Structure formats: C-alpha cells, structure tokens
Amino acid sequence: QLVEFGTNGKDCMNDETIEFLSAYMELEQFNPAVAKNASIAAEGLCTYVRAMKFYHEASKVVKPKMEALAMAEGQMEGAVAALRAAEARLAACNQK
C-alpha cells in the first residue's frame, strides 16, 4: 500500500493533513539527523514526511499550470485540425 500511496496518494494529501504535520515540522528535533539516533526507520520516516510536505507545497504551484497546459493542448489540437482542413481545401483549390 505504501507504493500505491507513493504513486497515487501523494496527490490526495490535503491542507488539513499538512497543517497537522506542521506542528512536528517546526520542532527542532524533527530532522533526519536526530531521528537517525533513534533508528534508521525513524530517519527514513522523517525524511519521507518532509519530502511529502515539500511535494504538497510544490504541487499547489504546479497543478494549476499543468491544468492550463492540458487545456491549451486541447485547444491546439482543435486548431491543428482546423489548419489541416484549411490546407486540404487550399490544395483542392490549387489543383483546379
């Protein structure tokens, strides 16, 4: 399930979850170097949580741009189809 979360779930994190994590992120002891003193697993978990918070913040900037890109690509496909139709009509007129 962790692999599935890494693939799909990372985009489902909401602001409330990040808000809950911020209390821990602000702690001076919540860093991989300190967590490593407890265990390697704690270090990994700390690193993972920090990365997910960073990913969430970055995705809030990138996601609207990706949506705008998808919309622009859709418009471009329509424009290319219209261009091809116009070029076909022009070629037909030039042959006459």
Side-chain angles (χ1 to χ4, degrees):
Q1 287 186 345
L2 185 59
V3 173
E4 183 180 320
F5 178 79
T7 305
N8 303 320
K10 64 184 185 278
D11 294 319
C12 297
M13 290 183 70
N14 58 23
D15 290 330
E16 183 181 12
T17 303
I18 298 302
E19 185 179 330
F20 286 135
L21 288 175
S22 348
Y24 297 101
M25 299 293 288
E26 294 169 3
L27 293 174
E28 192 174 312
Q29 296 84 11
F30 192 75
N31 66 60
V34 173
K36 187 176 183 177
N37 292 333
S39 72
I40 299 294
E43 177 190 22
L45 185 59
C46 182
T47 302
Y48 179 78
V49 168
R50 288 181 163 281
M52 290 309 296
K53 182 179 185 291
F54 177 76
Y55 178 86
H56 178 74
E57 291 170 354
S59 72
K60 289 170 77 173
V61 173
V62 173
K63 192 173 185 178
K65 293 179 181 184
M66 294 296 288
E67 291 170 354
L69 174 64
M71 187 179 295
E73 286 175 340
Q75 291 172 345
M76 184 182 76
E77 288 175 11
V80 167
L83 174 64
R84 287 190 182 131
E87 287 174 339
R89 286 193 311 268
L90 176 63
C93 289
N94 286 338
Q95 288 179 353
K96 290 183 181 183

